[in-house]
Amino acid sequence: MTKALITGCTGQDGSYLAELLLSLGYEVHGLKRRSSSVNTERIDHLYADPHEANTRFFLHYADLTDGSSLAAILYDLRPDEVYNLGAQSHVKVSFEVPEFTADVVACGSLRLLEAIRRTGVRCRYYQASSSEMFGSASPPQNETTPFHPRSPYACAKVFAHQITVNYRESYGMHASSGILFNHESPRRGETFVTRKITRAVAQIRSGLQKKLYLGNLEARRDWGYAPDYVQAMWLMLQQEMPGDYVIGTGDSHSVREFAQLAFEAADLDWREFVIVDPRYFRPAEVDHLRADPSRAMNVLGWQPTVRFRDLVRVMVQSDVEQLEARLRGGEDALHQLALGEGRFA
Ligand code: NAP
Ligand code: GDD
């Protein structure tokens, strides 16, 4: 049975990747961080009793800031594939906590690569690189576009990307980077702009929120659907040769367009509710990201399946349904049940 280790397993992408690998028959090991409140909501449905003989999903405490924990887990598990998705992944927050962001994103990736090298584990490695690395480079961006990072997060991702290339070239590791453009889903973190908008639409529709405060409405992003993107990660590690691939839809839209469509999906006019608040501006902005994913399409045979309009609709619908369930008390009851069972303790 192929064994995979995922850092960032509790995040949006980690949860979809764990689902994909389990569906392919893998044994999946995820890293989780100690926190004082439950941080496993996205993977609770994958939980299985580790005492059962046929269990294939396991969680381990570790942290990308703690190299010895990474080395110990690698040494014990000896995985065939390692997916490094763990990160302080919020660009705006990286301006507030630049040192921590660099420690987790840049040094964390180095720690993991070095732990693989030092333990002698023969595995394939995936690095979660980001279109943020392109920063102010003109669209469309592809694998040959020069990086011009515009935030501490993006600078840290450039280091993580380059050190992955360096370990591939220096030590012959099967190490690949996916340069992923923005990808969203109903599991997207609630402070990224898409989810912030779709949650607000649900709340406003139910009379629980009056206004939505946003920052730069003119920024353009290439927004895709997260489950499509974890498929690309897996495909990269199935190639005979490692390499770097840009993953995106090839279309871009503004934050304004996203907001307009999201409100329309609930029969609301966004102009009545959205207020621009400079508090959400960034010290340096990335104006326009749009992928040229030709290489991934030609070499990996990868294609996005969900386009912009459907993505917006799916996210609004999910947030409306979640809110309605919560208002009925159903979700809280389920959450309490999960806590009561003491799962993942
Ligand atoms: P996410 O939802 O923010 O998840 C990040 C994950 O990293 C969470 O599981 C988080 O754990 C974990 N993490 C944070 N700090 C850590 C630490 N010190 N040690 C170990 N784990 C840590 O991010 P995502 O959207 O799934 O993205 C996955 C990866 O792809 C990230 O590296 C991100 O930077 C990159 N990326 C994302 C996109 C995108 O559009 N989504 C695009 C390009 C690249 P907690 O749950 O405990 O916080
Ligand atoms: N978060 C947020 N909140 N962004 C806002 C807001 C707001 O209220 N108002 C406008 N924006 C704009 C931001 O200024 C940015 O230009 C755009 O919306 C997208 O912001 P985010 O959704 O926070 O994503 P991001 O593009 O900065 O970063 C995401 O994508 C990267 C890949 O390009 C993250 O997932 C990164 O981890 C990822 O690497």
mmCIF file of all heavy atoms in Angstrom, residues 89-91 130-132 153 180 182 188 191-193 196 213-216 219 221 255 280 282 285-286 289, ligand 2:
data_model
loop_
_atom_site.group_PDB
_atom_site.id
_atom_site.type_symbol
_atom_site.label_atom_id
_atom_site.label_comp_id
_atom_site.label_asym_id
_atom_site.label_seq_id
_atom_site.Cartn_x
_atom_site.Cartn_y
_atom_site.Cartn_z
ATOM 1 N N SER A 89 -0.591 30.816 5.589
ATOM 2 C CA SER A 89 -0.871 31.010 4.162
ATOM 3 C C SER A 89 -1.593 32.319 3.849
ATOM 4 O O SER A 89 -1.978 32.538 2.709
ATOM 5 C CB SER A 89 -1.699 29.828 3.644
ATOM 6 O OG SER A 89 -3.018 29.903 4.150
ATOM 7 N N HIS A 90 -1.795 33.174 4.849
ATOM 8 C CA HIS A 90 -2.532 34.421 4.607
ATOM 9 C C HIS A 90 -1.561 35.563 4.292
ATOM 10 O O HIS A 90 -0.740 35.940 5.134
ATOM 11 C CB HIS A 90 -3.407 34.768 5.816
ATOM 12 C CG HIS A 90 -4.544 35.677 5.458
ATOM 13 N ND1 HIS A 90 -4.358 37.007 5.191
ATOM 14 C CD2 HIS A 90 -5.868 35.441 5.294
ATOM 15 C CE1 HIS A 90 -5.528 37.566 4.892
ATOM 16 N NE2 HIS A 90 -6.459 36.625 4.936
ATOM 17 N N VAL A 91 -1.709 36.119 3.093
ATOM 18 C CA VAL A 91 -0.763 37.138 2.619
ATOM 19 C C VAL A 91 -0.792 38.379 3.503
ATOM 20 O O VAL A 91 0.243 38.879 3.935
ATOM 21 C CB VAL A 91 -1.082 37.496 1.151
ATOM 22 C CG1 VAL A 91 -0.227 38.665 0.680
ATOM 23 C CG2 VAL A 91 -0.881 36.276 0.256
ATOM 24 N N SER A 130 3.466 28.958 -4.951
ATOM 25 C CA SER A 130 2.303 29.840 -5.096
ATOM 26 C C SER A 130 2.480 30.861 -6.205
ATOM 27 O O SER A 130 3.585 31.395 -6.424
ATOM 28 C CB SER A 130 2.090 30.586 -3.769
ATOM 29 O OG SER A 130 1.212 31.669 -3.955
ATOM 30 N N SER A 131 1.377 31.201 -6.851
ATOM 31 C CA SER A 131 1.398 32.270 -7.858
ATOM 32 C C SER A 131 1.746 33.615 -7.239
ATOM 33 O O SER A 131 2.125 34.553 -7.958
ATOM 34 C CB SER A 131 0.033 32.350 -8.551
ATOM 35 O OG SER A 131 -0.999 32.515 -7.615
ATOM 36 N N GLU A 132 1.619 33.741 -5.906
ATOM 37 C CA GLU A 132 2.043 34.978 -5.239
ATOM 38 C C GLU A 132 3.505 35.277 -5.529
ATOM 39 O O GLU A 132 3.928 36.432 -5.454
ATOM 40 C CB GLU A 132 1.851 34.834 -3.721
ATOM 41 C CG GLU A 132 0.486 35.244 -3.207
ATOM 42 C CD GLU A 132 0.252 36.751 -3.299
ATOM 43 O OE1 GLU A 132 1.095 37.544 -2.832
ATOM 44 O OE2 GLU A 132 -0.792 37.124 -3.863
ATOM 45 N N TYR A 153 5.057 36.646 2.878
ATOM 46 C CA TYR A 153 4.608 35.291 2.505
ATOM 47 C C TYR A 153 5.209 34.885 1.164
ATOM 48 O O TYR A 153 5.757 33.791 1.009
ATOM 49 C CB TYR A 153 3.080 35.267 2.441
ATOM 50 C CG TYR A 153 2.501 34.047 1.755
ATOM 51 C CD1 TYR A 153 2.357 32.839 2.433
ATOM 52 C CD2 TYR A 153 2.087 34.106 0.415
ATOM 53 C CE1 TYR A 153 1.826 31.719 1.795
ATOM 54 C CE2 TYR A 153 1.558 33.001 -0.221
ATOM 55 C CZ TYR A 153 1.428 31.808 0.470
ATOM 56 O OH TYR A 153 0.902 30.706 -0.174
ATOM 57 N N LEU A 180 0.718 27.003 -7.744
ATOM 58 C CA LEU A 180 -0.746 27.017 -7.839
ATOM 59 C C LEU A 180 -1.300 28.429 -7.736
ATOM 60 O O LEU A 180 -0.905 29.196 -6.848
ATOM 61 C CB LEU A 180 -1.354 26.111 -6.751
ATOM 62 C CG LEU A 180 -1.519 24.632 -7.157
ATOM 63 C CD1 LEU A 180 -0.271 24.038 -7.767
ATOM 64 C CD2 LEU A 180 -2.015 23.810 -5.992
ATOM 65 N N ASN A 182 -4.781 30.890 -7.215
ATOM 66 C CA ASN A 182 -5.785 30.826 -6.138
ATOM 67 C C ASN A 182 -6.813 29.726 -6.415
ATOM 68 O O ASN A 182 -7.359 29.652 -7.510
ATOM 69 C CB ASN A 182 -6.531 32.149 -6.016
ATOM 70 C CG ASN A 182 -5.606 33.295 -5.661
ATOM 71 O OD1 ASN A 182 -4.562 33.467 -6.274
ATOM 72 N ND2 ASN A 182 -5.996 34.076 -4.675
ATOM 73 N N ARG A 188 -12.722 26.726 2.090
ATOM 74 C CA ARG A 188 -11.731 27.803 2.098
ATOM 75 C C ARG A 188 -11.739 28.514 3.443
ATOM 76 O O ARG A 188 -12.805 28.730 4.059
ATOM 77 C CB ARG A 188 -12.099 28.785 0.986
ATOM 78 C CG ARG A 188 -11.140 29.917 0.744
ATOM 79 C CD ARG A 188 -9.740 29.467 0.489
ATOM 80 N NE ARG A 188 -9.045 30.312 -0.456
ATOM 81 C CZ ARG A 188 -7.726 30.446 -0.482
ATOM 82 N NH1 ARG A 188 -6.964 29.801 0.382
ATOM 83 N NH2 ARG A 188 -7.139 31.218 -1.395
ATOM 84 N N THR A 191 -11.159 33.923 6.126
ATOM 85 C CA THR A 191 -10.659 35.292 5.960
ATOM 86 C C THR A 191 -10.051 35.532 4.580
ATOM 87 O O THR A 191 -9.540 36.622 4.315
ATOM 88 C CB THR A 191 -9.619 35.644 7.040
ATOM 89 O OG1 THR A 191 -8.545 34.696 6.962
ATOM 90 C CG2 THR A 191 -10.231 35.607 8.431
ATOM 91 N N PHE A 192 -10.068 34.537 3.709
ATOM 92 C CA PHE A 192 -9.685 34.792 2.310
ATOM 93 C C PHE A 192 -10.892 35.442 1.632
ATOM 94 O O PHE A 192 -12.044 35.198 2.006
ATOM 95 C CB PHE A 192 -9.264 33.492 1.618
ATOM 96 C CG PHE A 192 -8.036 32.892 2.250
ATOM 97 C CD1 PHE A 192 -8.140 31.858 3.165
ATOM 98 C CD2 PHE A 192 -6.776 33.403 1.959
ATOM 99 C CE1 PHE A 192 -7.010 31.323 3.779
ATOM 100 C CE2 PHE A 192 -5.638 32.877 2.571
ATOM 101 C CZ PHE A 192 -5.754 31.832 3.483
ATOM 102 N N VAL A 193 -10.624 36.253 0.601
ATOM 103 C CA VAL A 193 -11.671 37.160 0.145
ATOM 104 C C VAL A 193 -12.914 36.431 -0.383
ATOM 105 O O VAL A 193 -14.050 36.863 -0.134
ATOM 106 C CB VAL A 193 -11.121 38.176 -0.881
ATOM 107 C CG1 VAL A 193 -10.916 37.564 -2.266
ATOM 108 C CG2 VAL A 193 -12.024 39.389 -0.959
ATOM 109 N N LYS A 196 -14.877 35.065 2.562
ATOM 110 C CA LYS A 196 -15.377 36.195 3.355
ATOM 111 C C LYS A 196 -16.641 36.738 2.678
ATOM 112 O O LYS A 196 -17.639 37.047 3.342
ATOM 113 C CB LYS A 196 -14.287 37.273 3.434
ATOM 114 C CG LYS A 196 -14.662 38.484 4.256
ATOM 115 C CD LYS A 196 -13.466 39.419 4.421
ATOM 116 C CE LYS A 196 -13.887 40.750 5.002
ATOM 117 N NZ LYS A 196 -12.766 41.688 5.130
ATOM 118 N N TYR A 213 -17.312 44.707 4.699
ATOM 119 C CA TYR A 213 -16.170 45.600 4.506
ATOM 120 C C TYR A 213 -15.052 44.854 3.786
ATOM 121 O O TYR A 213 -14.580 43.822 4.277
ATOM 122 C CB TYR A 213 -15.676 46.121 5.867
ATOM 123 C CG TYR A 213 -16.715 46.987 6.546
ATOM 124 C CD1 TYR A 213 -17.617 46.435 7.460
ATOM 125 C CD2 TYR A 213 -16.812 48.344 6.242
ATOM 126 C CE1 TYR A 213 -18.595 47.216 8.061
ATOM 127 C CE2 TYR A 213 -17.790 49.135 6.842
ATOM 128 C CZ TYR A 213 -18.677 48.575 7.746
ATOM 129 O OH TYR A 213 -19.642 49.348 8.334
ATOM 130 N N LEU A 214 -14.647 45.370 2.640
ATOM 131 C CA LEU A 214 -13.589 44.752 1.843
ATOM 132 C C LEU A 214 -12.486 45.763 1.566
ATOM 133 O O LEU A 214 -12.677 46.968 1.756
ATOM 134 C CB LEU A 214 -14.149 44.245 0.507
ATOM 135 C CG LEU A 214 -15.148 43.083 0.563
ATOM 136 C CD1 LEU A 214 -15.685 42.795 -0.831
ATOM 137 C CD2 LEU A 214 -14.502 41.829 1.155
ATOM 138 N N GLY A 215 -11.344 45.241 1.068
ATOM 139 C CA GLY A 215 -10.229 46.108 0.685
ATOM 140 C C GLY A 215 -10.268 46.409 -0.805
ATOM 141 O O GLY A 215 -11.271 46.909 -1.324
ATOM 142 N N ASN A 216 -9.194 46.063 -1.492
ATOM 143 C CA ASN A 216 -9.020 46.399 -2.911
ATOM 144 C C ASN A 216 -9.944 45.568 -3.805
ATOM 145 O O ASN A 216 -9.760 44.367 -3.951
ATOM 146 C CB ASN A 216 -7.547 46.142 -3.270
ATOM 147 C CG ASN A 216 -7.253 46.416 -4.715
ATOM 148 O OD1 ASN A 216 -8.067 47.003 -5.432
ATOM 149 N ND2 ASN A 216 -6.078 45.989 -5.149
ATOM 150 N N ALA A 219 -8.260 44.156 -7.571
ATOM 151 C CA ALA A 219 -7.286 43.067 -7.741
ATOM 152 C C ALA A 219 -7.925 41.944 -8.548
ATOM 153 O O ALA A 219 -9.107 41.632 -8.367
ATOM 154 C CB ALA A 219 -6.846 42.548 -6.373
ATOM 155 N N ARG A 221 -7.679 37.905 -9.855
ATOM 156 C CA ARG A 221 -7.096 36.600 -9.542
ATOM 157 C C ARG A 221 -7.638 35.550 -10.494
ATOM 158 O O ARG A 221 -8.760 35.679 -11.026
ATOM 159 C CB ARG A 221 -7.452 36.172 -8.100
ATOM 160 C CG ARG A 221 -6.789 36.997 -7.012
ATOM 161 C CD ARG A 221 -5.289 36.724 -6.940
ATOM 162 N NE ARG A 221 -4.630 37.459 -5.861
ATOM 163 C CZ ARG A 221 -4.185 38.716 -5.969
ATOM 164 N NH1 ARG A 221 -4.351 39.391 -7.090
ATOM 165 N NH2 ARG A 221 -3.562 39.292 -4.955
ATOM 166 N N VAL A 255 -12.001 41.144 -7.764
ATOM 167 C CA VAL A 255 -12.734 40.941 -6.504
ATOM 168 C C VAL A 255 -14.146 41.518 -6.651
ATOM 169 O O VAL A 255 -15.137 40.941 -6.193
ATOM 170 C CB VAL A 255 -11.979 41.605 -5.334
ATOM 171 C CG1 VAL A 255 -12.796 41.572 -4.054
ATOM 172 C CG2 VAL A 255 -10.619 40.943 -5.142
ATOM 173 N N TYR A 280 -8.193 46.913 5.003
ATOM 174 C CA TYR A 280 -7.904 45.639 4.330
ATOM 175 C C TYR A 280 -6.958 45.799 3.143
ATOM 176 O O TYR A 280 -6.692 44.829 2.444
ATOM 177 C CB TYR A 280 -9.211 44.959 3.893
ATOM 178 C CG TYR A 280 -10.072 44.604 5.093
ATOM 179 C CD1 TYR A 280 -11.235 45.309 5.361
ATOM 180 C CD2 TYR A 280 -9.681 43.601 5.969
ATOM 181 C CE1 TYR A 280 -12.006 45.017 6.471
ATOM 182 C CE2 TYR A 280 -10.441 43.306 7.094
ATOM 183 C CZ TYR A 280 -11.603 44.020 7.335
ATOM 184 O OH TYR A 280 -12.344 43.732 8.448
ATOM 185 N N ARG A 282 -3.305 46.196 1.425
ATOM 186 C CA ARG A 282 -2.011 45.631 1.786
ATOM 187 C C ARG A 282 -0.898 46.640 1.517
ATOM 188 O O ARG A 282 -1.024 47.459 0.604
ATOM 189 C CB ARG A 282 -1.783 44.346 0.986
ATOM 190 C CG ARG A 282 -2.789 43.297 1.433
ATOM 191 C CD ARG A 282 -2.967 42.166 0.482
ATOM 192 N NE ARG A 282 -4.043 41.318 1.035
ATOM 193 C CZ ARG A 282 -4.279 40.091 0.669
ATOM 194 N NH1 ARG A 282 -3.554 39.518 -0.259
ATOM 195 N NH2 ARG A 282 -5.248 39.408 1.241
ATOM 196 N N GLU A 285 0.488 45.451 -3.100
ATOM 197 C CA GLU A 285 -0.577 44.596 -3.651
ATOM 198 C C GLU A 285 -0.070 43.810 -4.866
ATOM 199 O O GLU A 285 0.873 44.238 -5.558
ATOM 200 C CB GLU A 285 -1.782 45.478 -4.036
ATOM 201 C CG GLU A 285 -2.974 44.768 -4.666
ATOM 202 C CD GLU A 285 -3.621 43.692 -3.788
ATOM 203 O OE1 GLU A 285 -3.029 42.603 -3.663
ATOM 204 O OE2 GLU A 285 -4.727 43.931 -3.247
ATOM 205 N N VAL A 286 -0.680 42.665 -5.098
ATOM 206 C CA VAL A 286 -0.476 41.900 -6.332
ATOM 207 C C VAL A 286 -1.709 42.179 -7.181
ATOM 208 O O VAL A 286 -2.820 41.787 -6.817
ATOM 209 C CB VAL A 286 -0.323 40.395 -6.022
ATOM 210 C CG1 VAL A 286 -0.363 39.572 -7.298
ATOM 211 C CG2 VAL A 286 0.967 40.150 -5.255
ATOM 212 N N LEU A 289 -3.110 38.267 -11.351
ATOM 213 C CA LEU A 289 -2.557 36.922 -11.557
ATOM 214 C C LEU A 289 -3.460 36.177 -12.529
ATOM 215 O O LEU A 289 -4.671 36.097 -12.329
ATOM 216 C CB LEU A 289 -2.473 36.160 -10.226
ATOM 217 C CG LEU A 289 -1.504 36.745 -9.191
ATOM 218 C CD1 LEU A 289 -1.627 35.993 -7.862
ATOM 219 C CD2 LEU A 289 -0.063 36.702 -9.699
HETATM 220 N N1 GDD B 2 -8.355 38.495 2.363
HETATM 221 C C1 GDD B 2 -8.943 39.604 1.842
HETATM 222 N N2 GDD B 2 -9.873 40.245 2.592
HETATM 223 N N3 GDD B 2 -8.576 40.009 0.612
HETATM 224 C C2 GDD B 2 -9.189 41.097 0.103
HETATM 225 C C3 GDD B 2 -10.176 41.793 0.818
HETATM 226 C C4 GDD B 2 -10.518 41.360 2.128
HETATM 227 O O1 GDD B 2 -11.359 41.928 2.804
HETATM 228 N N4 GDD B 2 -10.617 42.806 0.036
HETATM 229 C C5 GDD B 2 -9.953 42.742 -1.105
HETATM 230 N N5 GDD B 2 -9.076 41.727 -1.079
HETATM 231 C C6 GDD B 2 -8.125 41.369 -2.151
HETATM 232 C C7 GDD B 2 -6.681 41.223 -1.682
HETATM 233 O O2 GDD B 2 -6.072 42.519 -1.540
HETATM 234 C C8 GDD B 2 -6.102 40.375 -2.820
HETATM 235 O O3 GDD B 2 -5.711 41.233 -3.872
HETATM 236 C C9 GDD B 2 -7.293 39.533 -3.263
HETATM 237 O O4 GDD B 2 -8.464 40.101 -2.661
HETATM 238 C C10 GDD B 2 -7.196 38.063 -2.855
HETATM 239 O O5 GDD B 2 -6.913 38.009 -1.468
HETATM 240 P P1 GDD B 2 -6.960 36.617 -0.670
HETATM 241 O O6 GDD B 2 -8.249 35.939 -0.897
HETATM 242 O O7 GDD B 2 -6.549 36.904 0.735
HETATM 243 O O8 GDD B 2 -5.867 35.720 -1.425
HETATM 244 P P2 GDD B 2 -4.389 36.050 -1.925
HETATM 245 O O9 GDD B 2 -4.448 36.128 -3.417
HETATM 246 O O10 GDD B 2 -3.792 37.182 -1.210
HETATM 247 O O11 GDD B 2 -3.598 34.726 -1.474
HETATM 248 C C11 GDD B 2 -4.161 33.443 -1.681
HETATM 249 O O12 GDD B 2 -3.740 32.942 -2.939
HETATM 250 C C12 GDD B 2 -2.328 32.707 -3.061
HETATM 251 C C13 GDD B 2 -2.074 32.189 -4.484
HETATM 252 O O13 GDD B 2 -2.047 33.246 -5.378
HETATM 253 C C14 GDD B 2 -3.719 32.549 -0.538
HETATM 254 O O14 GDD B 2 -4.395 31.308 -0.620
HETATM 255 C C15 GDD B 2 -2.221 32.269 -0.615
HETATM 256 O O15 GDD B 2 -1.870 31.300 0.385
HETATM 257 C C16 GDD B 2 -1.903 31.709 -2.000
HETATM 258 O O16 GDD B 2 -0.518 31.439 -2.121
#
